Amino acid sequence: MVKLSNGAHAATLPQFSHLFLDGKRHLTSKEIKILKACNTNDDPHWANVWVDKNEFNPHLISGCEIHGFLVVGALRDISLRYHDLVLTAGLYNSYVQNVVVGDDSVVRNVHYLSNYKIGSRDIIFNIDEMSCTNHSKFGNGVLKEGEPESNRVWIGVGNENDARAVLPFEDMIPADAYVWAKYRDDAYLQRRFVELTEANNSKALDTFGIIEDDVVIKNTTLLKDCKVCNSAYIKGAFKLKNITILSSPEEPSQVGEGVELVNGILGYGSRVFYQAVAVRFVIGRNCQLKYGARLLNSVLGDNSTVSCCEILNNLIFPFHEQHHNSSFLIASIVAGQSNIASGATIGSNHNSRAADGEMYAGRGFWPGLCSDFKHNSRFASFTLISKGSYQNELNIQFPFSLVASNGPRQPVTIIPAYWFLYNMYAVARNKAKFEKRDKRVHKIQHIETDPLAPDTLQEVEVALRRLIELTGAYLQSKKNEEALAASSKDELYRVAKNYLHRNPDADFTLIDNTAQKIYGAKILKPVKAYKEYRKMVKYFAVRTLCEYCDRNGIESLTNADIEKIQKMEVFTKWVNVGGQIIPEVRVLQLFELIKEHTIDSWQQVHDYYTDCQTHYDDYKVAYALNVLEKLYSCPVHEFTQKILDGIIEDVALVNRGMYDSALISRMKDFDDDFRMLTYRNAREMDAVLGNITDNEFLCEMKPEMESFNKKLHSVFEKLTLPLPALSERTTLD
C-alpha cells in the first residue's frame, strides 16, 4: 500500500494505484496556493492530490472539501453538454474522499463522494450521497474476504420460500436462472453453480465504486456501492444501492425519477422510470420498468416491458408484457412472449396448509382481464384464458387453446388449437412482431419466437395423444362396438384414432378430468382440434425441410438428402431454456460438463448455449422427419406417393389458409358494426385505424405465402419411392 506523506487519516491508495497514477504528478506550489484559496484539505501539504502531467487547470476545482486522496485526470476549461444541461469541467462545491476522476469530467454539488473511480467526460451533478464500501459486490451474489454466508444476496425466483433461489451475476441471462432454479434435485450441480458465480471473485476488500465514461448522473439522492457503465443516464433517482447498471454507447441504459434499485443487475439498453422499484433482481437487455412497477426477487428476460404492477418471486423469459395498475404476478416461471392483462391475479396462494405453490406457463401465456388462478398450475404454450375466477388448480396440456371458466365447482371449457381455428392473425404475426421489437444490438440470449418450434410441437404431440385417448373413453361411454371390442389400450387407441379420421364433421364433447382439480374440463370441438394439430405437425415438418433446402442451396430433396437427414442425431424431447429451445439431452450433457469441471465459468456455459444454437437447424430437420413418421405411424421408407401428395396438399392448404385466416381475423377490426360505432364515417375510421390494405404485416405475408407454396411443390419433386431405409437411427432421448 502507498501511504500519504503525512499519514493524514491513514489515507492510502490501493495496491493497483499504478493504474490511477500513470501520467499523474503532485501539485506545484503555485497550484497548491490557488487550490487553498477556495478549497479545504485534511492534508495541509496537499500531497494527497495527484493531477494530470500535461493538462491541469487548478482554477477548475473550487468549493471542495478533500479527504483521503484525490486523483484528477486532464482538466481543461471546457464545457460538457447533455441535452439542455451545460456545465464546465471540474470539481465544485463537493465533499470528496478517496476519489479518482478521469479526463474532463464534472463533479458539482455532490454533498458526499467517497471511494469512487469516475471516468472521463462524466457529469456528476446534484447528488446527496455517492459512496462505496470496500466490500461492495455491485449486485453480484458473491462474498468478500471474511464475510459470512448469510451476507450473500440470492434471488428467490419461482418460489416464495426461496427453494429455487439463484445467485445474480453480471452476465446472467434467463437460461442461466432457469437451469439453476429448475434442476434442484442435483445437489452437486447446485454447488457447482455457486462456484461458477464465484469463479473470478478475488474476495479482496479493495472495491471502488465505478462510474465509467460518458455517464450523466444528476439530481439523485443516493448511489451506494454502484457500478455504472459507459453512456448511462441517471436523473432524479431516489436510491441506487449495490447494483450494476450495464450500458454502452450502442445500448445506453437510463434510470429516471424516483427509482429505487437495490441488490441487482440492470441490463444493457434498459430503462427504469417514474417511481419504479426493483429489489434483488436481474433485468435483461432492452427492458422497461416504469410507472410505479415493483420487481422483487425476480429475473426479467430481454425485450420485456413492465409497468404499474407487481412482480414477485418470478423467473420470466424474454418478450414479457405486463401493464396496468392492478396486475399481480407471483411465484411463477413464465416462458416469455406473454401478456398479462389488467387485474390478472396470478398467485392466489395459501389454498392449502402446504407451502406456497408455483405456476409454470409456456410461451405465449395470455390470461384475460381480472383473471385469478390457484397454484400449483401449469399451462401449455400459447394458452389464451378467458376472463374469470379459476378457483381450482389447472393443468392445461393443449397448446394454442382457449380456456374459459364456467363458474365455481364447474368444469372449465377448453377449445384446443383455438388460435389456429379462430385467431390466425395473432399466430401468423407472432414471429415477425417479436423480431421487430428486438432492439438488442448484441444478442447474447438466443430467443425462439416462432410459434411452431420443437418446444410447441412436442406439446402438440402430447395434445394429439390426449385427444385420441379421451376419444377412446368417449366411444366406450357411448357403447361404440369397436371401442367396446378393443382388447387393449393400444387397440382402443387405434379405434379412436380411426374414428377421428373417418368422422371429420363429428361434433361432440370430451371430458378431461386431469385439466382441473376436482371438476375437470369439457373439451369442445375435438375433431377440429385434432385436424388442426395434425396440420401444424405437417406444416412445421415441411417448412423445416424447405428451410434445410434453402440453407444448402437445394431446389429439391433427393433420396440422398433424406438419407443424410436420417443419419443425423434425433432429439425428441426439448426444453425452453430461458427462451432458447435446446434438446433435453444437450442440457443434461451441459450439467455433466459442469460437474466434471470441463466447463468452469458462466461464459463457457454461454458458449455451450451458442454451440447448441449453431446446430439447432440440423436438430430441427431431423426432428421434422421424426414427427412425420409418428404422425403417419410408419417409418419414412414406407411412405407412399399418396402420403407425400397428401402432405403437400395439406401444407399448401395450411399455408394459404394461414394468410386467408389472418386476413379474415384482422378484417373483424374493420367491418364489425360495433367497431364503427364511435366514428362519424368510414373516412374517420380509416384516419384513426388505418386501412386493412395498408397493414404492413399482411402486405409482407402475402408474397411470402406465395413463395412458400412454389417452394413446396418443388421440394419433393426429385424424390423416388421407396425412400431410403436405415437399419438403425440414432435417437438420443
Side-chain angles (χ1 to χ4, degrees), residues 432 655 697 699-709:
N655 187 47
F697 170 70
C699 290
E700 293 172 354
M701 187 181 180
K702 186 173 182 179
E704 289 174 1
M705 175 269 297
E706 292 170 346
S707 174
F708 180 77
N709 266 358

Side-chain angles (χ1 to χ4, degrees), residues 52-79:
D52 187 79
K53 285 182 178 179
N54 302 312
E55 297 281 356
F56 175 68
N57 184 341
H59 295 284
L60 300 179
I61 299 179
S62 176
C64 291
E65 185 178 339
I66 301 169
H67 299 270
F69 61 82
L70 173 64
V71 181
V72 182
L75 194 54
R76 298 169 290 178
D77 189 7
I78 61 174
S79 294

Side-chain angles (χ1 to χ4, degrees), residues 600-616:
D600 261 335
S601 71
W602 282 110
Q603 181 55 56
Q604 290 177 310
V605 173
H606 294 178
D607 292 342
Y608 186 92
Y609 298 151
T610 300
D611 181 68
C612 290
Q613 188 67 21
T614 301
H615 295 93
Y616 180 53

Side-chain angles (χ1 to χ4, degrees), residues 347-383:
S348 302
N349 292 342
H350 308 290
N351 55 331
S352 77
R353 289 177 294 278
D356 295 339
E358 304 174 355
M359 187 196 79
Y360 178 86
R363 287 197 287 144
F365 181 59
W366 199 321
L369 294 167
C370 299
S371 298
D372 64 85
F373 304 94
K374 295 293 184 186
H375 288 4
N376 291 350
S377 287
R378 183 176 62 181
F379 301 91
S381 299
F382 295 94
T383 298

Side-chain angles (χ1 to χ4, degrees), residues 183 189 569 571 582-599 605 608-609 611-612 615 619 730-733:
Y183 296 87
L189 178 66
E569 299 172 333
F571 300 97
I582 302 178
E584 184 180 56
V585 167
R586 292 299 314 269
V587 176
L588 299 178
Q589 289 170 347
L590 168 65
F591 297 161
E592 292 305 312
L593 292 172
I594 291 172
K595 289 192 289 185
E596 67 187 29
H597 290 259
T598 302
I599 287 180
V605 173
Y608 186 92
Y609 298 151
D611 181 68
C612 290
H615 295 93
Y619 296 159
T730 306
T731 302
L732 297 181
D733 48 17

